[in-house]
Amino acid sequence: MNGKPGWRELAEGDVVPAGTAEQFETGDWRTERPTWHPERCIQCLLCWISCPDSAIVVKDQKMTGFNYHHCKGCGICAKECPVKPEKAITMGPER
Amino acid sequence: MANLKELASRKELLTGGHRMCPGCGAPIIVRQILLASKDPVVVVAATGCLEVSTTIFPYTAWNVPYLHNAFENAGATLSGVEAAYSAFKKKGKISQHVNFIAFGGDGGTYDIGLQSLSGALERGHDLLYVCYNNEAYMNTGVQRSGATPKGANTTTEPAGKVRQGKVEWRKDLTEIVAAHGIPYVAQSIAGNWADLTKKAEKAFSIRGPKFMNVLQPCRLGWGYKPEDTLNIARLAVESCVWPLYEVENGVYKVNSKPKAKKPAADFLKTQERFRHLFKPGNEQLLIEIQTEVDRRWEALVAKEPAVRTGA
Amino acid sequence: MAKVVARTGNEAMAEAMRQINPDVVAAYPITPATEIVMIFAKYVADGLVDTNYVAVESEHSAMSACVGAAAAGARVMTGTSSQGLALMYEILPIAAALRLPIVLSDVNRALSGPINIHCDHSDTMAARDFGWLQIFSENSQEAYDGLIQAVRIAEDPRVHLPAMVTTDGFIISHCLDKIELLEDSEVKEFIGPERKAPNSLLNLEKPVSIGLLDLQDYYFEHRLPVAEAMRGAKKVILEVADEFAKKFGRKYGLCEAYKLEDAEHVVVALGSTCGTAKVVVDELRSKGVRAGLLKIRVFRPFPGEEIAAALAKAKTVAVLDRSDSWSAQGGQVFTEVRSVMFDLPVKPKIINFIYGLGGREIDQGQIRQVYDCLQKVEKQPLVQYLGVRE
């Protein structure tokens, strides 16, 4: 409890600015870790649209990797990856 | 309809760092629906998994204006927001179009929030109500709801020695909503982004009340591995357990008619909540479930307007 | 120029609402408050207000929609009674915690059961711990003036809390009374053209999340400011009352002292009963009894110090409660008044009468009986029921 703001320091009501969860780490929940294999990636973006944690980093409409600060390692991205025979995202144990 | 590249160039409106379970389908639904809006969005959430996990003070995962009031009143609360918007628009204080969206789980929508939803629909507010339907009260530990299907194991209607999970059929909320005669009603799933975002786009293009009932597999309450969330939802469609359809101004359209309809058991057997149904002695129950799936599917398809054949 | 007219309490409150011209009204009919929304709905239908009137399907939805509209920055009002207020109970503390200055007319009616439609204060009293300001009215004039003042008080940045203004069901709500109306322009000027909300869901440039989940680490820090704002509201109520008195001539306080200066025997009451009690005080005074009345106008914030100071010189005090908390320590007003008197150097003897439940009539004879009891106070029980058949 120490170090948190006292009641006078909090904004009136029960209000925060948008998007503050960005700062909260959920990456430490991971037991499985996704790895991206760019050489196999077809840039279909299905991993991105399917991620529950907004943790696929897309730049200029292209998949560029993972936000490991937020990724919980659910494996949906690897499961949804349509690339065959070897997927462009694979799961392995978190180190 | 926006393709994935177009969607990917839009701002992410639900951040990571929320506390939903790994593999949860609800934030997938929310992200896709928010991405489908070209206009600013204001969100009201009913109490539930989504609400508690995305807004633990001082962290919010919402990059749009967001309000939580209580459990059973997302429809009424969003009515009030939209009423304020209309009042301000009339006075010239705001001109931009805004899409108003309520997100409620099945508990907050089928059960405790049904009156509030019905009132909001009847009054004609310009809003979209999205039910992220995981078929039980997952937030409080998998209690039965009106959306829980027959035979499912829940903590308040568990499978035991003499009872095999939920005894009753689930209520058909999509049809109840459609009976309000609102301009747009749809069923979709987490697991078909094209269907979901297309329906959300359509909803945003229509003025008046809109409703979407989106099936959301829950790895905790349904019992499966987290990576299977989306393909289990697709199995629900392929087996006609959860048809994709829309009702636009009273006209039904079934969006996906499987060429080879999978048995309901193919869907059921992927989940722990139905495991007891496959024990010897429950064969009759499986037949009953399949019969009901068939009956509902045929009743739905019969609601589509007759297609004119050539000549 | 002030216009003198005949209005029932409900008509007076609807008239005040028309002049306040809120952005949003969300309301549901219930006896005896129904007329307020009926009259207001006609104003909407006739284009006399700019209000977006949301005709919801329940009081729960009424208050829920009020919270939504207020969180969107709107000036918001509603009205209800009894079971309707009870159906709102879940949402009332949320409105307070979110610091939304919703203004509500509560036409006091007994809570079921048994079901009853007539006046007592049980509905408002059960809502006393929800963080709402509570202002009682003795008559239609006070209801009208109180509702207009409530908008200013609730929206004051030092307060930012919701407020309910009450009238006694049927006794005030349905009885014609002579009242002085303000000009529309005077009301508009007094309350200000629009609400200034620190946060709004419709401020698209500055998106915020409102109503987050607080756990053990923040809930307490979010509740304490409600208490602080409530305490601070006393000053604001008096400032607004002063300005109102200067502009329009009618004076209001947290309480009203009637012939208290030298009073030995004092009755404490709320609402319309005070009008009856004043007549009895005058009559007793003419017979040489030093009787007085303390009317509590504002029950939340509770004017504890003011009550203690007003009663310090009395010999005996009787608190009249138009509701009961169903236990031996008396009604809600009594327990709070008695508590603030605990620290007085010389404590008056204080007793409680619970009266008028479910609209049971309270007349001059009964109030005379109360003053009689005060004159032989040593023989009186702590709490007694007035007007009930044995």
Side-chain angles (χ1 to χ4, degrees):
Chain A
M1 295 298 160
N2 293 334
K4 289 188 173 167
W7 66 269
R8 286 184 183 82
E9 299 164 74
L10 293 175
E12 181 189 290
D14 175 16
V15 177
V16 294
T20 50
E22 192 81 53
Q23 302 151 33
F24 191 83
E25 179 167 14
T26 50
D28 54 4
W29 296 15
R30 250 189 339 269
T31 56
E32 298 275 309
R33 185 180 179 90
T35 303
W36 180 46
H37 308 282
E39 70 285 359
R40 301 204 284 263
C41 180
I42 58 168
Q43 290 297 345
C44 67
L45 297 177
L46 281 175
C47 55
W48 168 75
I49 196 71
S50 304
C51 178
D53 292 294
S54 314
I56 307 285
V57 182
V58 169
K59 279 181 193 142
D60 299 325
Q61 306 182 342
K62 286 201 163 76
M63 167 12 164
T64 61
F66 302 100
N67 177 342
Y68 287 109
H69 185 65
H70 292 148
C71 169
K72 295 169 189 157
C74 69
I76 287 180
C77 52
K79 184 92 182 185
E80 295 296 308
C81 178
V83 180
K84 283 175 187 168
E86 286 182 288
K87 287 176 180 279
I89 297 172
T90 52
M91 301 301 290
E94 179 71 24
R95 291 177 296 272
Chain B
M1 190 196 127
N3 62 30
L4 282 180
K5 286 208 186 309
E6 283 170 64
L7 293 177
S9 58
R10 293 181 186 165
K11 189 180 174 188
E12 186 67 64
L13 298 176
L14 187 75
T15 73
H18 57 69
R19 265 60 88 72
M20 304 294 276
C21 298
C24 177
I28 305 174
I29 295 167
V30 171
R31 282 186 62 220
Q32 294 181 1
I33 288 175
L34 296 182
L35 284 166
S37 175
K38 284 186 217 150
D39 292 306
V41 163
V42 173
V43 166
V44 166
T47 308
C49 289
L50 179 69
E51 170 266 327
V52 299
S53 305
T54 55
T55 59
I56 301 179
F57 194 92
Y59 299 104
T60 176
W62 298 87
N63 257 333
V64 295
Y66 162 96
L67 171 67
H68 167 250
N69 188 355
F71 191 8
E72 70 282 56
N73 62 358
T77 303
L78 192 60
S79 296
V81 179
E82 192 266 351
Y85 170 81
S86 300
F88 289 157
K89 203 165 186 188
K90 209 164 96 182
K91 290 177 183 173
K93 290 187 189 173
I94 193 166
S95 54
Q96 207 166 359
H97 179 71
V98 175
N99 287 321
F100 294 96
I101 311 175
F103 288 104
D106 50 291
T109 308
Y110 278 67
D111 291 352
I112 198 169
L114 183 58
Q115 173 185 321
S116 172
L117 168 65
S118 176
L121 300 177
E122 184 267 336
R123 291 189 299 272
H125 297 277
D126 185 23
L127 53 83
L128 168 63
Y129 191 108
V130 178
C131 176
Y132 65 99
N133 177 4
N134 48 41
E135 302 191 321
Y137 292 82
M138 300 313 185
N139 187 41
T140 43
V142 202
Q143 292 83 31
R144 87 188 278 287
S145 79
T148 305
K150 182 171 177 134
N153 180 47
T154 59
T155 54
T156 48
E157 209 169 345
K161 285 180 184 148
V162 297
R163 279 170 64 141
Q164 305 303 321
K166 194 178 174 193
V167 174
E168 306 81 9
W169 300 108
R170 68 172 166 224
K171 76 168 100 158
D172 195 339
L173 182 67
T174 311
E175 289 302 297
I176 293 169
V177 169
H180 286 72
I182 62 171
Y184 188 69
V185 179
Q187 274 196 180
S188 187
I189 54 163
N192 186 338
W193 71 269
D195 182 78
L196 185 61
T197 58
K198 190 176 161 188
K199 284 172 176 167
E201 280 180 6
K202 190 180 277 187
F204 295 142
S205 74
I206 297 167
R207 301 283 67 81
K210 287 85 61 176
F211 177 81
M212 288 168 63
N213 194 349
V214 186
L215 187 71
Q216 177 242 306
C218 166
R219 47 87 48 115
L220 180 78
W222 293 18
Y224 61 83
K225 288 187 196 149
E227 66 266 29
D228 285 326
T229 295
L230 304 185
N231 57 299
I232 285 181
R234 289 189 290 263
L235 262 175
V237 175
E238 289 156 14
S239 58
C240 299
V241 166
W242 188 261
L244 300 180
Y245 74 101
E246 13 178 28
V247 189
E248 200 175 342
N249 294 317
V251 181
Y252 280 73
K253 183 174 171 27
V254 180
N255 309 108
S256 171
K257 289 181 188 165
K259 286 199 181 80
K261 190 172 153 192
K262 288 186 177 164
D266 285 11
F267 167 72
L268 304 175
K269 72 188 175 196
T270 59
Q271 302 151 53
E272 283 289 312
R273 63 176 174 156
F274 295 120
R275 192 169 59 162
H276 56 283
L277 299 182
F278 296 91
K279 285 182 185 158
N282 282 337
E283 295 80 3
Q284 188 53 36
L285 194 49
L286 278 173
I287 292 168
E288 274 178 43
I289 291 171
Q290 182 64 58
T291 307
E292 182 65 8
V293 167
D294 293 343
R295 187 191 69 77
R296 289 193 185 201
W297 169 253
E298 278 150 31
L300 173 65
V301 172
K303 286 179 181 172
E304 281 191 303
V307 181
R308 284 171 194 274
T309 50
Chain C
M1 264 306 287
K3 191 164 60 171
V4 178
V5 296
R7 290 283 186 275
T8 66
N10 283 347
E11 288 166 353
M13 281 181 136
E15 181 70 6
M17 283 172 74
R18 182 188 64 74
Q19 296 179 307
I20 292 163
N21 194 11
D23 299 306
V24 174
V25 167
Y28 186 79
I30 182 167
T31 303
T34 309
E35 265 184 328
I36 299 177
V37 292
M38 280 166 56
I39 298 166
F40 191 78
K42 188 72 167 72
Y43 293 152
V44 174
D46 289 338
L48 299 178
V49 287
D50 305 310
T51 307
N52 191 348
Y53 173 52
V54 187
V56 285
E57 82 298 333
S58 71
E59 290 89 353
H60 193 280
S61 285
M63 187 45 59
S64 301
C66 286
V67 165
R75 183 173 270 166
V76 182
M77 298 183 79
T78 186
T80 192
S81 279
S82 179
Q83 302 307 106
L85 190 67
L87 196 52
M88 291 179 178
Y89 285 164
E90 188 205 10
I91 310 303
L92 296 180
I94 299 173
L98 298 184
R99 310 298 296 275
L100 303 173
I102 299 160
V103 175
L104 177 152
S105 309
D106 181 34
V107 182
N108 289 128
R109 159 182 157 183
L111 286 174
S112 302
I115 185 170
N116 172 285
I117 56 168
H118 291 282
C119 175
D120 70 33
H121 295 164
S122 52
D123 53 356
T124 305
M125 285 300 159
R128 72 195 187 280
D129 294 336
F130 293 157
W132 281 60
L133 283 81
Q134 296 183 320
I135 301 172
F136 282 77
S137 317
E138 185 185 321
N139 51 43
S140 294
Q141 183 75 63
E142 291 196 12
Y144 172 81
D145 293 344
L147 206 54
I148 292 165
Q149 292 177 32
V151 174
R152 266 284 297 278
I153 297 160
E155 290 182 8
D156 189 289
R158 294 166 290 176
V159 179
H160 281 176
L161 286 174
M164 59 180 79
V165 177
T166 80
T167 62
D168 286 349
F170 291 104
I171 301 164
I172 300 177
S173 69
H174 284 64
C175 287
L176 270 179
D177 204 353
K178 198 173 73 175
I179 74 165
E180 242 180 71
L181 297 180
L182 304 181
E183 295 295 333
D184 290 1
S185 57
E186 290 173 321
V187 174
K188 199 173 173 183
E189 200 266 13
F190 188 77
I191 62 167
E194 60 180 15
R195 186 186 145 213
K196 290 182 181 66
N199 296 293
S200 158
L201 294 171
L202 295 175
N203 184 348
L204 305 170
E205 307 304 314
K206 191 189 140 197
V208 289
S209 287
I210 303 176
L212 287 80
L213 170 68
D214 269 4
L215 299 174
Q216 301 93 322
D217 52 352
Y218 281 103
Y219 181 88
F220 209 166
E221 283 74 18
H222 275 139
R223 292 307 305 210
L224 179 55
V226 172
E228 284 295 309
M230 188 62 88
R231 283 188 271 268
K234 283 208 280 191
K235 185 166 176 276
V236 178
I237 292 168
L238 293 174
E239 280 176 22
V240 170
D242 276 354
E243 190 186 321
F244 192 90
K246 279 192 194 107
K247 284 185 168 146
F248 312 122
R250 289 185 293 280
K251 292 193 176 82
Y252 291 98
L254 301 166
C255 303
E256 179 190 328
Y258 189 75
K259 304 196 175 168
L260 271 193
E261 305 77 35
D262 62 342
E264 290 180 346
H265 307 296
V266 180
V267 163
V268 178
L270 287 71
S272 62
T273 303
C274 295
T276 317
K278 284 173 184 172
V279 175
V280 177
V281 168
D282 290 351
E283 178 199 302
L284 291 172
R285 287 256 164 190
S286 72
K287 290 178 184 163
V289 180
R290 281 152 73 177
L293 169 78
L294 180 69
K295 175 173 93 183
I296 299 178
R297 173 179 177 246
V298 177
F299 189 67
R300 284 290 181 275
F302 187 68
E305 295 86 347
E306 294 79 0
I307 291 170
L311 298 177
K313 286 187 284 180
K315 278 189 184 163
T316 67
V317 174
V319 176
L320 303 190
D321 264 290
R322 203 163 193 155
S323 63
D324 194 1
S325 57
W326 319 111
S327 62
Q329 294 304 310
Q332 292 88 348
V333 183
F334 179 67
T335 52
E336 299 204 14
V337 169
R338 192 171 180 233
S339 170
V340 298
M341 292 173 67
F342 187 81
D343 292 324
L344 287 177
V346 183
K347 293 184 201 35
K349 176 76 183 168
I350 178 165
I351 55 173
N352 186 208
F353 291 86
I354 289 164
Y355 77 100
L357 301 191
R360 177 62 50 85
E361 197 182 4
I362 174 96
D363 58 18
Q364 293 175 33
Q366 286 174 333
I367 294 175
R368 240 178 262 126
Q369 197 187 321
V370 169
Y371 282 105
D372 286 349
C373 290
L374 286 181
Q375 290 171 65
K376 41 190 177 185
V377 73
E378 296 310 325
K379 291 175 188 158
Q380 301 302 319
L382 187 68
V383 183
Q384 50 193 303
Y385 291 87
L386 185 66
V388 71
R389 292 185 300 278
E390 290 297 332

